[in-house]
Amino acid sequence: MSIETPLPVLKPADFASDQDVRWCPGCGDYSILAQMKKVLPTLGLPREKIVFISGIGCSSRFPYYMNTYGMHSIHGRAPAVATGLKSTRPDLQVWVVTGDGDGLSIGGNHLMHCIRRNMDLNIILFNNRIYGLTKGQYSPTSPLGKKTKSTPMGAIDNPLHPLSIAIGAEATFVARSIDTNIKHLSEMLKRAAEHRGTAFLEVYQNCNVFNDGAWEYATNRQTKLETTLELQHGKPLIFGKDRDKGIRLNGLDPEVVELGKGIKEDDLLFHDEKSPEPSLAYLLSRMRYEDGFPEPIGVFRSVKAPQYDEMINAQVEEARKQHGKGNLDDLFNAGETWDVK
């Protein structure tokens, strides 16, 4: 009888690489990196079983700073690389780190198909509403009218909303957090890590050089209780400094109401992150500050569904049972062959 050697107890410092962190001082990326290092030791996994894969952008330097396996891949293709890895090594925990430019512009198609397949991956999208690495051009999430180096007269592209895209692609886990809300961010990272299937987490992240204050309304201590709403499963949608406001449905439309003026908590919309029907989660993803709503943070959706990585490996195993293990040489020489002279 063999006795398994217990895993060493890891600390956040064990996940820090020997590389100097080269983000601008004050960048929100530092907070995400710090919370990731705090969460990983709680998962009980050895570092050799954890992989970070990124594309191109400021956020995509993440693998350099983690003392795990990792790959800095090509622009927008991190979900494709991660899909290949997870399909062939289902024993690994795979994280995809991307940004609003990398993930939603050149990588939008890869991101969408990765989500719909429900790979067992954790996708963290850093959203600062700007291209930071290429020095301040507008991104797919920049608001209308945003003046940047590439839009001196104001952006005229309708912005994409990451969570709406994820929910539209039937993501099984969708959440949002904010770089400065470190306790909440840590909780969301842990929830994402524990989910089986694609976990998609958007993080409002400040670029203090090229788009400082993009999320000021959601981070300012004086305003954030009025402009954000923390989702809690099974609880009514209540917000405000005095917890005196809520969200209810007026037909199919959400509206802000005040409690205590003939309106009770039971009249409000109750959050159900486990609903198989994504319509209400999508509705929440459309609530935005500029339209007069508090913006939800927390878990929008968390459901179970078949995983692509499990199903593809089940098919491979079934094919081996039916046809044998196979031989690469035989495959290359099967069917018609010819010589080119």
Side-chain angles (χ1 to χ4, degrees), residues 185-262:
L185 176 57
S186 179
E187 180 187 347
M188 292 302 102
L189 288 169
K190 187 170 176 61
R191 286 285 309 269
E194 293 171 345
H195 179 74
R196 297 298 305 276
T198 300
F200 184 85
L201 171 61
E202 175 191 25
V203 182
Y204 282 177
Q205 176 259 328
N206 191 46
C207 175
N208 60 315
V209 174
F210 296 108
N211 201 22
D212 193 26
W215 309 111
E216 175 70 14
Y217 62 85
T219 59
N220 188 300
R221 291 183 180 181
Q222 305 302 318
T223 62
K224 65 181 182 180
L225 293 179
E226 301 292 333
T227 60
T228 61
L229 186 160
E230 188 168 340
L231 298 172
Q232 294 180 302
H233 178 61
K235 300 290 182 67
L237 301 187
I238 296 176
F239 69 101
K241 182 179 179 181
D242 300 317
R243 305 279 297 167
D244 59 347
K245 300 181 184 70
I247 304 294
R248 74 174 179 184
L249 283 183
N250 182 1
L252 295 176
D253 298 320
E255 63 179 1
V256 175
V257 294
E258 289 189 45
L259 293 168
K261 297 182 178 181

Side-chain angles (χ1 to χ4, degrees), residues 110-128:
H110 293 281
L111 183 71
M112 177 182 67
H113 289 294
C114 180
I115 290 172
R116 78 177 177 92
R117 289 181 178 124
N118 198 34
M119 295 292 304
D120 188 22
L121 301 172
N122 307 308
I123 303 173
I124 315 300
L125 187 140
F126 297 25
N127 186 2
N128 56 25

Side-chain angles (χ1 to χ4, degrees), residues 309-328:
D309 43 299
E310 289 186 344
M311 292 187 291
I312 194 172
N313 280 295
Q315 287 186 340
V316 169
E317 186 58 33
E318 181 60 30
R320 282 177 178 158
K321 288 179 181 178
Q322 292 182 17
H323 307 291
K325 189 174 180 180
N327 182 287
L328 193 58

